Amino acid sequence: MMALFTKRGLTFQSASRCCGMIGSCKSLSFSNNEFPNQDGEAVSFSHGVNQEYLGKSEGVRQEVDKVCQILESGSWGPSLENALSMCDEKHHSELIIGVLRRLKDVDQALNYFRWVEKKTDQAHVPEAYNMLLMVIARSKRFVQVELILEEMGLAGYGPSNSTCIQLVSSYVKTQKLKEGFDFIQTMRKLKFRPAFSAYTTLIGALSAVNEADLMQALFLQMQELGYEVSVHLFTTLVRVFAREGQVDTALSLLDEMKRSSFDADIVLYNVCINCFGKVGKVDMAWKFFHEMKTNGFVPDEVTYTSMIDVLCKGHRLDEAVDLFEQMEQNRAVPCAYAYSTMIMGYGSAGKFDEAYKLLERQRLKGSIPSVISYNCLLTCLGKKGKIDDALRIFEEMKKDAAPNLTTYNILIDMLCRAGKFMAALEIRDAMKSSGLFPNVLTVNIMIDRLCKAQKLDEACSIFEEMDHKLCMPNAMTFCSLIDGLGRHGRVDDAYRLYEQMLDSDRIPDAVVYTSLIKNFFRSGRKEDGHKIYKEMVSRGVAPDLFLLNTYMDCVFKAGETEKGRALFQEIEAQGFTPDVRSYSILLHGLIKAGFARETYEIFYAMKERGCILDTLAYNTVIDGFCKSGKVNKAYQLLEEMKVSGLEPTVVTYGSVIDGLAKIDRLDEAYMLFEEAKSKGVELNVVIYSSLVDGFGKVGRIDEAYLIMEELMQKGISPNVYTWNCLLDALVRAEEIDEALVCFNSMKSLNCSPNSITYSILINGLCRVQKFNKAFVFWQEMQKQGLKPNLITYTTMISGLAKAGNIVEADRLFERFKTNGGVPDSACYNTMIEGLSMSNRAMEAYQLFEETRLRGCNIYTKTCIVLLDSLHKAECLEQAAIVGAVLRETAKAQHASRSL
């Protein structure tokens, strides 16, 4: 640290210099009414004014004026330093302190402070340092604070209590609470003693933002320093820890308070009842309520209201009613707030008749129900969907209380949720007629609900109608509309609104950027999604973990596996700890990309890092292993999941059952199926379909039928995939008549066949040479507007050709190619044979050449049939070419057999 002083021009050259400096410090440590005499003793001049001192004080004031005029004449630089040097004033401690007290510009104060050090080659006195810190506190520029504290520490003195309190207050006013905490820690590191009020001020500010851990650290420091903590301070800490759900810590603080012989007051009891109750500890709240009565405290309105509220929210309405009755018996004047709380309790429980009676009872007791009571009741009616009742109560309330903005917002929200937007607009107009104007919350409610109802034009209209003089859109307004537009595909409109947000000098937060990125990717515009992320970074907006997770999910779904990996690393680079969702996205993305082995390693690395695995994480990995054929590992994870106390869901069972069925381990799949049913898991059509498909593919048709029958008995409707699995099984077994019966059943149960359904039947009919029936299904398929796939075309072309309907087969073949289809070898060979047998030798030959040109194989049988047709048509030149190809094919086959 001595290097620091040297750099600042504060080289301590001798012990005498230090002693002189400390002596000068002492000379300034007296109160405003005292002055040191020659012996260093304090002489009071409060009753007899010392003329010599007054004259000296006036002289110092003139010197301060002179120096300040120079400092305020321009920016710091050589000319200003020269002006200070030419000034004939000696820069003594009183002058330095006076100048610093007058300066408002912290940079000018620091420059002057350092210039004096160099000029006088002496260290500053404590009061000068304290005054410099006060300038920093006033300007709220805290960058230099730690450096100044370190210099003071080396000089052997620290900031005064008033300076410490002023600095902490400045940190609090600028909401730099973490920096304020660090300031206190720096003082402790330098062995300074922060002021009592500095601690209490900062603890109070931290309690407002629920920074429980920082508060506790400061509280412990106060105890270490010997400060006497009060019940109020204990109450502040208990409130925050209880509110945050850290019940054990809150209780340990209460125990410590008792050990320290502090007596709890009614405020502490009320805080405990309220906070412990709100985190679900109803019995504990009851305990504090009874304890306070035992200790001689009479519950006040806050006590009763808090306890009634806790009981109502804990679904213990009967106890709440009993307590409310007790309160009423002991009170001459009704407590309006307790009535509102009890009305809210009845409403939340759906007991509206009791709530109405309580309103009437309040009136009879001479207490007019307030707007709060009515708002509570309207809120509950809205949540229960009782809109007509709510509108009736709204009319009744006007007799007792004038509706306020909250009232109208509750009604507008209720009507918008029910899709009654015209009625909501009427309420908004009624609000204006009553002299109230919609606030930003009103607008946000309407825009959010309209967007969710896909009424985007109406939402945009409300946004554009906003009177910016009376109601300015806030970040939530923009965010709701940007997200609504983006989610419904209007990403360009969403981006224009984002630009409008920037033009209005509002800085979009991570929520807005998350919405834009997600919706651009969802619309297939991944490059624009990447640009949005880069733009966010360039604007200095810090991403949160939710944004990074969403971006990574979008990137993986877009097939950019390496970019997805990089984003997972970015999460840690940004200082976040990947959560379960981060890992689940990474695992799902890698599994989809075929990196099953790697995902297994990541999964266990995740466990080793202490990440608490949830059902989603297990399901992701289990599904991935099943799809990549690693069913044994998936089965192991299913068992591990059960051991760890997590109940497998329908997704878990579905993945493993499907995986086992696909590798013909059907008995194990069926056992797991029965296990899921025995555990009460609601099985879905996907699981039943997996078993139907599995049993059908191995020819176990009866079992496939039984599964199908059970499915329908459960009241679950088979989907098109289920029917296709059964039809495919019947076609494989050449039970085509049974397949046709199933097809009719499928249609009678209102399950529309798709192109795969028709393809299965056409293929089955062609296999049993029912070509004409297959062609009927082909035509029906066309009428339904279904597009045939390659297999359907190939099957139908082959069937028509084999049936001798070569004209229709040729027409279908040409249509297939015109529609962009690429025939395979089987399709080409079938057509060549069909044309050859229909005495269309040259057309067959042209197709033969096309087949060779496309690199498709030509079968030996096809060459023989074509060769015979060409000879009959006396196309000898073409026959010679086909013969040569036939010989080459024969040689190749012979060589292959020899090898």
Side-chain angles (χ1 to χ4, degrees):
M1 292 303 297
M2 188 58 73
L4 177 67
F5 276 81
T6 306
K7 181 180 178 182
R8 297 294 183 185
L10 296 175
T11 309
F12 291 91
Q13 297 174 355
S14 66
S16 61
R17 171 77 57 85
C18 290
C19 293
M21 179 188 68
I22 293 167
S24 65
C25 296
K26 288 180 179 178
S27 70
L28 292 167
S29 62
F30 302 100
S31 70
N32 291 334
N33 294 328
E34 295 177 341
F35 190 78
N37 62 13
Q38 290 180 344
D39 297 324
E41 297 171 343
V43 178
S44 172
F45 58 89
S46 57
H47 299 290
V49 178
N50 189 311
Q51 295 299 320
E52 182 182 350
Y53 173 78
L54 287 176
K56 184 177 179 182
S57 177
E58 178 62 25
V60 170
R61 189 182 64 76
Q62 291 174 359
E63 291 173 348
V64 169
D65 290 342
K66 193 172 181 180
V67 172
C68 284
Q69 284 176 0
I70 295 171
L71 290 170
E72 292 167 359
S73 64
S75 301
W76 188 270
S79 60
L80 197 143
E81 289 187 40
N82 290 335
L84 286 172
S85 298
M86 292 172 65
C87 179
D88 57 358
E89 306 300 342
K90 183 180 179 184
H91 293 276
H92 52 82
S93 298
E94 292 90 340
L95 172 60
I96 297 164
I97 294 165
V99 170
L100 291 173
R101 183 182 289 111
R102 290 265 297 274
L103 288 175
K104 295 179 181 178
D105 187 333
V106 68
D107 293 325
Q108 203 78 322
L110 281 164
N111 288 327
Y112 174 69
F113 191 82
R114 298 305 179 195
W115 179 82
V116 170
E117 285 177 345
K118 294 177 185 176
K119 191 72 177 175
T120 61
D121 196 25
Q122 289 184 349
H124 288 289
V125 295
E127 284 79 354
Y129 274 106
N130 276 296
M131 191 55 65
L132 181 60
L133 288 172
M134 295 290 272
V135 175
I136 291 171
R138 288 198 301 269
S139 66
K140 301 176 178 61
R141 293 263 306 278
F142 306 108
V143 179
Q144 299 283 343
V145 169
E146 186 172 353
L147 180 65
I148 293 166
L149 287 178
E150 288 176 351
E151 290 183 16
M152 294 177 79
L154 285 172
Y157 44 74
S160 66
N161 281 348
S162 60
T163 305
C164 177
I165 294 165
Q166 183 66 36
L167 272 166
V168 168
S169 297
S170 296
Y171 280 117
V172 169
K173 286 175 184 175
T174 54
Q175 292 298 304
K176 295 181 180 292
L177 303 184
K178 181 64 171 64
E179 291 83 349
F181 178 83
D182 293 340
F183 165 69
I184 295 286
Q185 302 319 301
T186 300
M187 286 191 69
R188 293 295 301 122
K189 183 177 70 176
L190 296 171
K191 309 301 182 186
F192 300 150
R193 183 184 177 88
F196 178 86
S197 294
Y199 275 112
T200 55
T201 300
L202 189 52
I203 287 172
L206 289 167
S207 72
V209 292
N210 296 332
E211 286 285 356
D213 294 335
L214 297 183
M215 290 171 63
Q216 189 177 28
L218 293 173
F219 183 76
L220 292 172
Q221 281 184 18
M222 290 181 74
Q223 292 176 309
E224 289 171 6
L225 290 170
Y227 283 129
E228 184 176 337
V229 293
S230 62
V231 173
H232 173 71
L233 208 53
F234 273 108
T235 304
T236 303
L237 264 78
V238 168
R239 177 189 286 113
V240 173
F241 277 109
R243 199 160 53 200
E244 289 290 288
Q246 298 187 44
V247 176
D248 291 340
T249 308
L251 290 173
S252 67
L253 281 166
L254 290 170
D255 289 339
E256 183 183 340
M257 191 187 82
K258 289 177 182 176
R259 289 196 301 272
S260 302
S261 300
F262 283 108
D263 292 325
D265 57 14
I266 193 167
V267 175
L268 178 58
Y269 278 116
N270 286 346
V271 165
C272 289
I273 290 167
N274 184 47
C275 294
F276 283 106
K278 281 184 177 175
V279 294
K281 303 292 182 182
V282 182
D283 290 332
M284 200 172 285
W286 253 136
K287 171 185 164 292
F288 285 113
F289 181 83
H290 293 303
E291 184 182 305
M292 71 178 290
K293 293 174 74 175
T294 303
N295 289 337
F297 292 102
V298 177
D300 60 9
E301 290 183 0
V302 176
T303 318
Y304 277 113
T305 306
S306 297
M307 195 65 235
I308 290 167
D309 183 51
V310 166
L311 290 166
C312 289
K313 287 177 179 173
H315 307 294
R316 292 163 69 165
L317 190 62
D318 292 340
E319 294 171 80
V321 172
D322 289 343
L323 188 61
F324 180 79
E325 297 296 339
Q326 287 177 32
M327 181 196 73
E328 282 295 272
Q329 288 172 6
N330 299 324
R331 292 185 60 84
V333 180
C335 173
Y337 192 58
Y339 270 96
S340 299
T341 306
M342 198 65 241
I343 288 166
M344 188 76 170
Y346 277 130
S348 298
K351 296 188 174 185
F352 292 106
D353 290 337
E354 287 85 344
Y356 301 147
K357 288 175 185 175
L358 196 57
L359 268 176
E360 187 60 31
R361 180 171 150 190
Q362 186 177 356
R363 283 195 200 95
L364 293 173
K365 288 210 173 229
S367 173
I368 303 299
S370 67
V371 69
I372 296 172
S373 298
Y374 280 106
N375 286 349
C376 290
L377 188 53
L378 290 172
T379 300
C380 295
L381 287 166
K383 286 180 179 177
K384 300 293 182 182
K386 294 181 174 291
I387 297 171
D388 293 336
D389 290 343
L391 293 173
R392 178 178 56 79
I393 292 294
F394 172 65
E395 292 302 322
E396 287 181 11
M397 79 174 284
K398 294 175 185 177
K399 301 172 187 175
D400 296 326
N404 60 12
L405 262 176
T406 304
T407 314
Y408 285 106
N409 284 341
I410 291 167
L411 289 170
I412 289 170
D413 184 35
M414 178 194 315
L415 291 165
C416 287
R417 283 179 185 274
K420 298 186 176 185
F421 297 107
M422 292 306 296
L425 290 172
E426 289 173 10
I427 292 290
R428 186 192 64 176
D429 294 339
M431 180 197 310
K432 291 178 181 177
S433 301
S434 67
L436 297 170
F437 289 92
N439 61 6
V440 70
L441 177 60
T442 318
V443 174
N444 289 350
I445 288 168
M446 297 194 76
I447 287 175
D448 181 64
R449 303 295 178 259
L450 286 165
C451 285
K452 285 175 179 172
Q454 300 187 37
K455 295 180 180 291
L456 301 174
D457 292 334
E458 291 89 336
C460 291
S461 176
I462 286 174
F463 178 81
E464 288 161 6
E465 288 172 5
M466 288 181 73
D467 186 344
H468 287 200
K469 291 181 181 177
L470 298 173
C471 178
M472 287 286 288
N474 60 13
M476 182 61 71
T477 320
F478 281 103
C479 186
S480 294
L481 195 49
I482 287 169
D483 188 57
L485 290 166
R487 269 190 291 116
H488 297 101
R490 292 171 59 174
V491 286
D492 290 322
D493 291 337
Y495 188 77
R496 277 191 288 272
L497 193 61
Y498 158 75
E499 290 180 323
Q500 188 177 333
M501 187 179 184
L502 293 173
D503 292 339
S504 63
D505 294 328
R506 285 174 178 78
I507 300 173
D509 59 8
V511 177
V512 173
Y513 283 109
T514 303
S515 173
L516 288 169
I517 290 167
K518 176 181 64 180
N519 290 320
F520 270 119
F521 269 93
R522 189 182 288 167
S523 300
R525 295 166 60 176
K526 65 178 184 180
E527 293 305 322
D528 289 324
H530 290 312
K531 285 178 184 175
I532 291 291
Y533 182 77
K534 289 175 184 175
E535 189 173 333
M536 180 195 74
V537 173
S538 67
R539 289 187 178 278
V541 178
D544 58 15
L545 182 59
F546 185 79
L547 182 145
L548 291 168
N549 281 343
T550 302
Y551 187 28
M552 179 170 62
D553 188 40
C554 291
V555 164
F556 272 121
K557 285 177 179 174
E560 298 182 332
T561 307
E562 293 309 313
K563 177 71 176 173
R565 290 178 195 265
L567 276 170
F568 184 81
Q569 300 300 322
E570 179 71 10
I571 289 173
E572 295 183 314
Q574 290 282 351
F576 298 108
T577 301
D579 61 5
V580 173
R581 182 169 180 251
S582 312
Y583 279 106
S584 296
I585 291 167
L586 176 66
L587 291 166
H588 188 269
L590 292 175
I591 285 167
K592 194 176 177 183
F595 296 99
R597 184 180 297 279
E598 187 176 344
T599 58
Y600 193 71
E601 293 167 1
I602 292 170
F603 179 72
Y604 281 101
M606 170 185 176
K607 292 172 69 177
E608 287 171 6
R609 291 184 64 171
C611 192
I612 299 172
L613 304 178
D614 60 3
T615 305
L616 176 62
Y618 272 107
N619 286 351
T620 300
V621 182
I622 287 170
D623 185 57
F625 284 144
C626 289
K627 285 178 178 173
S628 60
K630 300 184 182 297
V631 183
N632 286 335
K633 287 184 177 178
Y635 213 132
Q636 288 170 10
L637 285 180
L638 172 64
E639 293 303 318
E640 180 185 305
M641 186 179 179
K642 289 188 278 189
V643 171
S644 65
L646 292 172
E647 287 297 325
T649 65
V650 64
V651 176
T652 325
Y653 281 112
S655 297
V656 182
I657 288 169
D658 185 62
L660 290 166
K662 279 185 167 56
I663 58 173
D664 299 340
R665 289 165 60 178
L666 290 158
D667 293 329
E668 293 172 79
Y670 191 77
M671 285 173 61
L672 207 55
F673 171 74
E674 289 295 330
E675 178 188 305
K677 286 196 294 182
S678 68
K679 289 190 173 183
V681 176
E682 287 290 330
L683 301 180
N684 55 26
V685 69
V686 177
I687 295 179
Y688 281 99
S689 300
S690 296
L691 289 172
V692 170
D693 184 49
F695 281 119
K697 277 188 168 63
V698 296
R700 295 166 68 172
I701 307 295
D702 291 340
E703 286 153 298
Y705 261 120
L706 287 171
I707 296 292
M708 193 76 161
E709 187 179 344
E710 182 182 321
L711 165 68
M712 288 192 277
Q713 284 175 352
K714 293 273 187 184
I716 304 171
S717 299
N719 59 23
V720 67
Y721 175 75
T722 322
W723 284 109
N724 287 347
C725 291
L726 186 58
L727 288 170
D728 185 59
L730 292 166
V731 165
R732 286 170 184 268
E734 295 190 356
E735 294 187 19
I736 193 66
D737 292 333
E738 190 64 32
L740 293 172
V741 171
C742 279
F743 177 74
N744 290 327
S745 299
M746 174 184 181
K747 290 197 292 184
S748 67
L749 290 169
N750 297 319
C751 183
S752 300
N754 60 13
S755 57
I756 297 172
T757 316
Y758 282 103
S759 297
I760 291 167
L761 288 172
I762 289 167
N763 179 50
L765 289 163
C766 288
R767 285 176 67 176
V768 295
Q769 299 187 6
K770 293 187 177 183
F771 302 115
N772 291 333
K773 184 69 173 174
F775 190 62
V776 170
F777 275 99
W778 171 268
Q779 290 175 321
E780 184 181 321
M781 181 182 186
Q782 301 291 303
K783 287 176 185 177
Q784 297 293 330
L786 298 172
K787 189 176 180 181
N789 57 23
L790 171 63
I791 296 170
T792 320
Y793 267 110
T794 305
T795 303
M796 197 64 248
I797 291 166
S798 176
L800 289 167
K802 287 175 181 176
N805 192 350
I806 194 63
V807 176
E808 195 61 46
D810 189 40
R811 188 182 297 126
L812 195 58
F813 183 71
E814 291 302 323
R815 191 198 306 171
F816 176 50
K817 291 195 290 182
T818 303
N819 292 337
V822 180
D824 60 4
S825 296
C827 193
Y828 273 116
N829 281 276
T830 300
M831 278 303 301
I832 292 168
E833 289 180 31
L835 289 167
S836 299
M837 289 188 287
S838 300
N839 299 320
R840 295 164 65 175
M842 282 306 297
E843 291 176 64
Y845 178 76
Q846 288 169 2
L847 201 57
F848 170 82
E849 289 294 337
E850 183 182 323
T851 308
R852 292 175 64 203
L853 188 64
R854 287 187 177 274
C856 294
N857 294 327
I858 298 177
Y859 307 153
T860 303
K861 180 191 170 188
T862 305
C863 288
I864 293 169
V865 172
L866 176 58
L867 191 60
D868 184 56
S869 179
L870 288 168
H871 278 299
K872 285 180 182 177
E874 297 183 353
C875 300
L876 302 179
E877 185 179 343
Q878 289 79 8
I881 294 169
V882 173
V885 170
L886 183 59
R887 286 191 294 273
E888 288 297 322
T889 303
K891 285 180 184 178
Q893 290 175 348
H894 179 71
S896 175
R897 284 195 294 270
S898 299
L899 288 171

